[in-house]
Amino acid sequence: MNNNEFRLRLSSLREKYGVSAREMSLSLGQNPCYINNIECGRGNPSLIGFFNICDYLKITPAEFFETDSCNPVQLNELIAKLKKLDAKQLETLTAFVEQMIK
């Protein structure tokens, strides 16, 4: 992932989270322009800053870089629920999902 893709991913995830760049910056304890500066290419977060951004968005760093998943938070919630199903329920749900994606 290059710098431009990083900025676009951050912007996309932030917007899906429903928060402004200013609000997110302040929530992270940074100056009001922190996230905007990253998204506009005027700065990059430190490694700790990146981890804080991921924590704020409730995703792991790996999920941040998983660009084929546009809703990682919802996907995590679904996976947590799937883990509670028994084998028969998972089999039924798998068949249903396979029909949905055809």
Side-chain angles (χ1 to χ4, degrees), residues 43-62:
N44 291 308
S46 66
L47 187 55
I48 295 198
F50 172 66
F51 289 148
N52 289 337
I53 288 169
C54 290
D55 286 343
Y56 180 85
L57 296 171
K58 296 181 172 83
I59 60 172
T60 66

mmCIF file of all heavy atoms in Angstrom, residues 43-62:
data_model
loop_
_atom_site.group_PDB
_atom_site.id
_atom_site.type_symbol
_atom_site.label_atom_id
_atom_site.label_comp_id
_atom_site.label_asym_id
_atom_site.label_seq_id
_atom_site.Cartn_x
_atom_site.Cartn_y
_atom_site.Cartn_z
ATOM 1 N N GLY A 43 1.298 14.926 6.139
ATOM 2 C CA GLY A 43 1.963 14.284 7.263
ATOM 3 C C GLY A 43 1.625 12.801 7.306
ATOM 4 O O GLY A 43 0.732 12.340 6.588
ATOM 5 N N ASN A 44 2.360 12.088 8.109
ATOM 6 C CA ASN A 44 2.124 10.667 8.323
ATOM 7 C C ASN A 44 2.108 10.407 9.823
ATOM 8 O O ASN A 44 2.842 11.049 10.567
ATOM 9 C CB ASN A 44 3.223 9.825 7.674
ATOM 10 C CG ASN A 44 3.167 9.867 6.173
ATOM 11 O OD1 ASN A 44 2.130 9.626 5.583
ATOM 12 N ND2 ASN A 44 4.290 10.189 5.547
ATOM 13 N N PRO A 45 1.305 9.441 10.250
ATOM 14 C CA PRO A 45 1.298 9.131 11.680
ATOM 15 C C PRO A 45 2.545 8.340 12.060
ATOM 16 O O PRO A 45 3.123 7.634 11.231
ATOM 17 C CB PRO A 45 0.040 8.265 11.844
ATOM 18 C CG PRO A 45 -0.113 7.584 10.522
ATOM 19 C CD PRO A 45 0.363 8.597 9.507
ATOM 20 N N SER A 46 2.944 8.480 13.303
ATOM 21 C CA SER A 46 3.994 7.611 13.825
ATOM 22 C C SER A 46 3.405 6.218 13.945
ATOM 23 O O SER A 46 2.192 6.016 13.770
ATOM 24 C CB SER A 46 4.445 8.105 15.202
ATOM 25 O OG SER A 46 3.373 7.962 16.137
ATOM 26 N N LEU A 47 4.223 5.245 14.268
ATOM 27 C CA LEU A 47 3.729 3.886 14.438
ATOM 28 C C LEU A 47 2.705 3.838 15.570
ATOM 29 O O LEU A 47 1.637 3.244 15.430
ATOM 30 C CB LEU A 47 4.887 2.921 14.708
ATOM 31 C CG LEU A 47 4.536 1.444 14.732
ATOM 32 C CD1 LEU A 47 3.847 1.006 13.444
ATOM 33 C CD2 LEU A 47 5.778 0.612 14.963
ATOM 34 N N ILE A 48 3.010 4.514 16.676
ATOM 35 C CA ILE A 48 2.059 4.554 17.794
ATOM 36 C C ILE A 48 0.804 5.310 17.380
ATOM 37 O O ILE A 48 -0.309 4.916 17.729
ATOM 38 C CB ILE A 48 2.715 5.174 19.043
ATOM 39 C CG1 ILE A 48 3.823 4.258 19.492
ATOM 40 C CG2 ILE A 48 1.703 5.492 20.122
ATOM 41 C CD1 ILE A 48 4.374 4.337 20.834
ATOM 42 N N GLY A 49 0.961 6.365 16.605
ATOM 43 C CA GLY A 49 -0.194 7.103 16.101
ATOM 44 C C GLY A 49 -1.076 6.216 15.231
ATOM 45 O O GLY A 49 -2.302 6.264 15.318
ATOM 46 N N PHE A 50 -0.443 5.390 14.392
ATOM 47 C CA PHE A 50 -1.198 4.470 13.548
ATOM 48 C C PHE A 50 -1.968 3.462 14.402
ATOM 49 O O PHE A 50 -3.135 3.192 14.149
ATOM 50 C CB PHE A 50 -0.260 3.747 12.575
ATOM 51 C CG PHE A 50 -0.927 2.647 11.809
ATOM 52 C CD1 PHE A 50 -1.926 2.925 10.887
ATOM 53 C CD2 PHE A 50 -0.571 1.330 12.023
ATOM 54 C CE1 PHE A 50 -2.558 1.903 10.181
ATOM 55 C CE2 PHE A 50 -1.187 0.305 11.326
ATOM 56 C CZ PHE A 50 -2.181 0.589 10.403
ATOM 57 N N PHE A 51 -1.315 2.913 15.434
ATOM 58 C CA PHE A 51 -2.003 1.970 16.327
ATOM 59 C C PHE A 51 -3.177 2.651 17.030
ATOM 60 O O PHE A 51 -4.234 2.048 17.204
ATOM 61 C CB PHE A 51 -1.042 1.384 17.359
ATOM 62 C CG PHE A 51 -0.035 0.421 16.779
ATOM 63 C CD1 PHE A 51 1.222 0.324 17.321
ATOM 64 C CD2 PHE A 51 -0.340 -0.387 15.695
ATOM 65 C CE1 PHE A 51 2.156 -0.571 16.810
ATOM 66 C CE2 PHE A 51 0.583 -1.284 15.168
ATOM 67 C CZ PHE A 51 1.836 -1.379 15.720
ATOM 68 N N ASN A 52 -2.996 3.904 17.419
ATOM 69 C CA ASN A 52 -4.090 4.650 18.061
ATOM 70 C C ASN A 52 -5.253 4.870 17.092
ATOM 71 O O ASN A 52 -6.417 4.792 17.488
ATOM 72 C CB ASN A 52 -3.584 5.987 18.602
ATOM 73 C CG ASN A 52 -2.688 5.832 19.803
ATOM 74 O OD1 ASN A 52 -2.747 4.824 20.510
ATOM 75 N ND2 ASN A 52 -1.840 6.810 20.036
ATOM 76 N N ILE A 53 -4.931 5.144 15.844
ATOM 77 C CA ILE A 53 -5.971 5.311 14.825
ATOM 78 C C ILE A 53 -6.758 4.009 14.674
ATOM 79 O O ILE A 53 -7.986 4.011 14.649
ATOM 80 C CB ILE A 53 -5.348 5.752 13.477
ATOM 81 C CG1 ILE A 53 -4.880 7.211 13.575
ATOM 82 C CG2 ILE A 53 -6.330 5.559 12.320
ATOM 83 C CD1 ILE A 53 -4.019 7.676 12.415
ATOM 84 N N CYS A 54 -6.045 2.889 14.594
ATOM 85 C CA CYS A 54 -6.709 1.585 14.471
ATOM 86 C C CYS A 54 -7.581 1.303 15.689
ATOM 87 O O CYS A 54 -8.717 0.842 15.548
ATOM 88 C CB CYS A 54 -5.682 0.472 14.278
ATOM 89 S SG CYS A 54 -4.880 0.526 12.661
ATOM 90 N N ASP A 55 -7.061 1.583 16.883
ATOM 91 C CA ASP A 55 -7.860 1.387 18.103
ATOM 92 C C ASP A 55 -9.124 2.233 18.060
ATOM 93 O O ASP A 55 -10.201 1.770 18.409
ATOM 94 C CB ASP A 55 -7.050 1.737 19.354
ATOM 95 C CG ASP A 55 -6.005 0.704 19.707
ATOM 96 O OD1 ASP A 55 -6.088 -0.440 19.206
ATOM 97 O OD2 ASP A 55 -5.100 1.041 20.493
ATOM 98 N N TYR A 56 -8.986 3.463 17.634
ATOM 99 C CA TYR A 56 -10.124 4.366 17.554
ATOM 100 C C TYR A 56 -11.191 3.815 16.601
ATOM 101 O O TYR A 56 -12.387 3.884 16.884
ATOM 102 C CB TYR A 56 -9.665 5.753 17.091
ATOM 103 C CG TYR A 56 -10.791 6.741 16.986
ATOM 104 C CD1 TYR A 56 -11.221 7.449 18.104
ATOM 105 C CD2 TYR A 56 -11.452 6.958 15.785
ATOM 106 C CE1 TYR A 56 -12.275 8.354 18.013
ATOM 107 C CE2 TYR A 56 -12.501 7.855 15.693
ATOM 108 C CZ TYR A 56 -12.908 8.547 16.807
ATOM 109 O OH TYR A 56 -13.950 9.434 16.718
ATOM 110 N N LEU A 57 -10.739 3.272 15.468
ATOM 111 C CA LEU A 57 -11.661 2.739 14.468
ATOM 112 C C LEU A 57 -12.136 1.325 14.808
ATOM 113 O O LEU A 57 -12.928 0.740 14.069
ATOM 114 C CB LEU A 57 -10.990 2.743 13.086
ATOM 115 C CG LEU A 57 -10.644 4.123 12.522
ATOM 116 C CD1 LEU A 57 -9.793 3.990 11.266
ATOM 117 C CD2 LEU A 57 -11.921 4.909 12.227
ATOM 118 N N LYS A 58 -11.614 0.786 15.906
ATOM 119 C CA LYS A 58 -11.973 -0.563 16.372
ATOM 120 C C LYS A 58 -11.623 -1.642 15.352
ATOM 121 O O LYS A 58 -12.401 -2.566 15.085
ATOM 122 C CB LYS A 58 -13.449 -0.631 16.755
ATOM 123 C CG LYS A 58 -13.800 0.259 17.934
ATOM 124 C CD LYS A 58 -15.269 0.125 18.294
ATOM 125 C CE LYS A 58 -15.602 0.839 19.564
ATOM 126 N NZ LYS A 58 -15.851 2.219 19.502
ATOM 127 N N ILE A 59 -10.439 -1.485 14.763
ATOM 128 C CA ILE A 59 -9.923 -2.481 13.828
ATOM 129 C C ILE A 59 -8.474 -2.783 14.175
ATOM 130 O O ILE A 59 -7.826 -2.019 14.888
ATOM 131 C CB ILE A 59 -10.012 -1.997 12.359
ATOM 132 C CG1 ILE A 59 -9.199 -0.719 12.147
ATOM 133 C CG2 ILE A 59 -11.456 -1.803 11.936
ATOM 134 C CD1 ILE A 59 -9.073 -0.294 10.699
ATOM 135 N N THR A 60 -7.984 -3.895 13.674
ATOM 136 C CA THR A 60 -6.573 -4.227 13.861
ATOM 137 C C THR A 60 -5.766 -3.575 12.739
ATOM 138 O O THR A 60 -6.319 -3.233 11.685
ATOM 139 C CB THR A 60 -6.354 -5.753 13.808
ATOM 140 O OG1 THR A 60 -6.647 -6.205 12.476
ATOM 141 C CG2 THR A 60 -7.217 -6.480 14.834
ATOM 142 N N PRO A 61 -4.460 -3.438 12.938
ATOM 143 C CA PRO A 61 -3.638 -2.922 11.841
ATOM 144 C C PRO A 61 -3.764 -3.784 10.571
ATOM 145 O O PRO A 61 -3.802 -3.252 9.464
ATOM 146 C CB PRO A 61 -2.221 -2.951 12.412
ATOM 147 C CG PRO A 61 -2.436 -2.729 13.879
ATOM 148 C CD PRO A 61 -3.687 -3.514 14.189
ATOM 149 N N ALA A 62 -3.852 -5.096 10.733
ATOM 150 C CA ALA A 62 -4.016 -5.965 9.562
ATOM 151 C C ALA A 62 -5.304 -5.636 8.819
ATOM 152 O O ALA A 62 -5.331 -5.606 7.583
ATOM 153 C CB ALA A 62 -4.008 -7.425 9.992
#
